[in-house]
Amino acid sequence: MARMTNRAAVDVMWGVMLLMQMMGLIRSFNFGIGGVDGLRMDYYFMSCPFAEQIVWNSVTSALQSDPTLAAGLLRMHFHDCFIQGCDGSVLLDSTKDNTAEKDSPANLSLRGYEVIDDAKEQIEEQCPGVVSCADILAMAARDAVFWAGGPRYEIPKGRKDGARSRIEDTINLPSPTFNASELIRMFGQHGFSAQEMVALSGGHTLGVARCSSFKQRLSNSDPTLDSSFAKTLSKTCSAGDNAEQPFDATRNTFDGAYYYGLVNKVGVLTSDQTLFASARTKGIVNGYAMNQAMFFFDFQQAMLKMSLLDVKEGSAGQVRLNCRKIN
């Protein structure tokens, strides 16, 4: 736990990295993935060297007060990247002329916008007009995973913010009622393998699901659902559609408990349990349930890949001064 909450240790880590960069021991990393060769690990090294530290401090402060926000920040990044790419579009507020992504039924349960706002406000004081909201969100999700006990992964920076955010686009988010074949198809459209899809699904080791997302499993006799757990879910839903059920037994800790739950038929959503029910993904789930280190490694790689989805560079986007509205 000390690793997750000791800000001084992280300050030292960043200090060492900055010193190594100054000494030339860490080179700039260019990424030629999907046309994102403008992104670099040290993108803000000269223009806003304390950007990452500010994001970390904002995330740490928020999660110390409310650990459940880790799940919110991770999910927000995922919902951003799957719609129009990782361009901060999920952060935009609706206007009188447009209903934005965040007001879609699929996004009404997203949380953590104030964390992004806090980091953005502090960064704007230090480096006006330099750091994009898309990058802040990507860094915040990464830091939330680490704070909750998950792996530390690095991501290149340099994303620009998009100007489009429309409710109708959220139809392209995976549904909680999808089966494994549908998930494989949808993630495949974004370039992910079945293994990467199962690894990314492990983000459900954090957070909760609302009854409205799983109650359809209770009206039918679902052979993939443990009968005792079905009673637990029914009891949760007795409090209404907005009642919350943790995805696994350690809702605020990033670990392999999610996969262990699937093996024991206590996955909350259809889209969770289907990963163990399907022959195409069952072996992957078993592997992650038995080997958390393997899950962590694959999750790191998949999150890096996701953070590069359809990013906007140069004149294709902007750096918003306020993450909630376009400039």
Side-chain angles (χ1 to χ4, degrees), residues 109-151:
S109 60
L110 292 183
R111 301 169 60 240
Y113 295 107
E114 69 280 3
V115 183
I116 307 303
D117 291 339
D118 177 65
K120 178 63 171 176
E121 184 177 342
Q122 293 185 59
I123 288 173
E124 284 300 307
E125 291 177 0
Q126 295 276 337
C127 334
V130 173
V131 182
S132 69
C133 299
D135 272 350
I136 292 173
L137 178 53
M139 290 187 281
R142 173 201 64 190
D143 292 347
V145 167
F146 181 67
W147 193 94

Side-chain angles (χ1 to χ4, degrees), residues 154-174:
E154 267 309 322
I155 51 172
K157 275 72 68 177
R159 299 162 189 77
K160 292 295 188 290
D161 297 321
R164 175 190 173 101
S165 182
R166 298 182 181 176
I167 188 172
E168 58 266 28
D169 293 340
T170 60
I171 194 173
N172 294 313
L173 288 170

Side-chain angles (χ1 to χ4, degrees), residues 23-96:
M23 295 173 63
L25 296 178
I26 296 181
R27 297 177 179 272
S28 298
F29 290 94
N30 293 324
F31 283 76
I33 304 174
V36 294
D37 55 351
L39 272 66
R40 303 194 312 273
M41 293 294 187
D42 63 351
Y43 189 85
Y44 297 116
F45 179 60
M46 296 299 294
S47 60
C48 196
F50 298 108
E52 298 212 36
Q53 183 64 58
I54 290 171
V55 173
W56 168 260
N57 289 346
S58 292
V59 170
T60 298
S61 177
L63 268 56
Q64 284 176 337
S65 298
D66 182 3
T68 68
L69 284 173
L73 291 169
L74 177 57
R75 186 162 173 254
M76 191 188 299
H77 179 44
F78 173 80
H79 281 222
D80 181 40
C81 292
F82 253 58
I83 307 298
Q84 303 295 317
C86 306
D87 65 351
S89 57
V90 75
L91 302 171
L92 287 169
D93 285 341
S94 294
T95 65
K96 60 182 177 62

Side-chain angles (χ1 to χ4, degrees), residues 28 35 45 68 108 127 140 157 179 189 193-194 198 220 228 234 254 276 281 290 296 317 319:
S28 298
F45 179 60
T68 68
L108 290 179
C127 334
K157 275 72 68 177
N179 61 33
Q189 290 172 348
S193 66
V198 176
N220 303 310
S228 178
S234 294
F254 196 98
F276 187 69
T281 51
M290 293 186 293
F296 276 19
V319 175

Side-chain angles (χ1 to χ4, degrees), residues 96-313:
K96 60 182 177 62
D97 300 317
N98 178 65
T99 304
E101 292 172 30
K102 66 166 55 172
D103 289 321
S104 162
N107 285 335
L108 290 179
S109 60
L110 292 183
R111 301 169 60 240
Y113 295 107
E114 69 280 3
V115 183
I116 307 303
D117 291 339
D118 177 65
K120 178 63 171 176
E121 184 177 342
Q122 293 185 59
I123 288 173
E124 284 300 307
E125 291 177 0
Q126 295 276 337
C127 334
V130 173
V131 182
S132 69
C133 299
D135 272 350
I136 292 173
L137 178 53
M139 290 187 281
R142 173 201 64 190
D143 292 347
V145 167
F146 181 67
W147 193 94
R152 176 77 186 185
Y153 60 92
E154 267 309 322
I155 51 172
K157 275 72 68 177
R159 299 162 189 77
K160 292 295 188 290
D161 297 321
R164 175 190 173 101
S165 182
R166 298 182 181 176
I167 188 172
E168 58 266 28
D169 293 340
T170 60
I171 194 173
N172 294 313
L173 288 170
S175 166
T177 63
F178 273 7
N179 61 33
S181 295
E182 291 169 314
L183 290 169
I184 289 171
R185 176 185 56 79
M186 177 166 277
F187 277 75
Q189 290 172 348
H190 293 282
F192 293 105
S193 66
Q195 178 117 14
E196 289 169 331
M197 179 272 289
V198 176
L200 288 173
S201 296
H204 279 179
T205 185
L206 295 175
V208 299
R210 293 184 176 183
C211 171
S212 56
S213 298
F214 59 79
K215 65 180 181 180
Q216 84 286 343
R217 300 185 71 195
L218 305 175
S219 57
N220 303 310
S221 179
D222 187 342
T224 69
L225 179 61
D226 176 79
S227 58
S228 178
F229 190 59
K231 295 176 182 177
T232 298
L233 296 183
S234 294
K235 183 176 180 180
T236 297
C237 285
S238 66
D241 279 359
N242 289 328
E244 296 176 339
Q245 176 67 38
F247 281 118
D248 68 23
T250 55
R251 59 174 287 183
N252 295 326
T253 302
F254 196 98
D255 54 23
Y258 166 78
Y259 297 105
Y260 186 76
L262 300 186
V263 172
N264 288 282
K265 295 187 176 182
V266 294
V268 177
L269 304 178
T270 297
S271 58
D272 292 323
Q273 195 58 54
T274 188
L275 301 179
F276 187 69
S278 170
R280 298 177 68 183
T281 51
K282 183 175 183 177
I284 304 170
V285 171
N286 268 324
Y288 290 158
M290 293 186 293
N291 189 336
Q292 181 175 284
M294 181 171 69
F295 160 51
F296 276 19
F297 179 80
D298 287 353
F299 183 82
Q300 287 174 299
Q301 303 304 306
M303 284 297 291
L304 169 60
K305 185 173 179 177
M306 190 186 79
S307 78
L308 300 174
L309 283 180
D310 302 322
V311 298
K312 295 173 176 61
E313 300 175 84

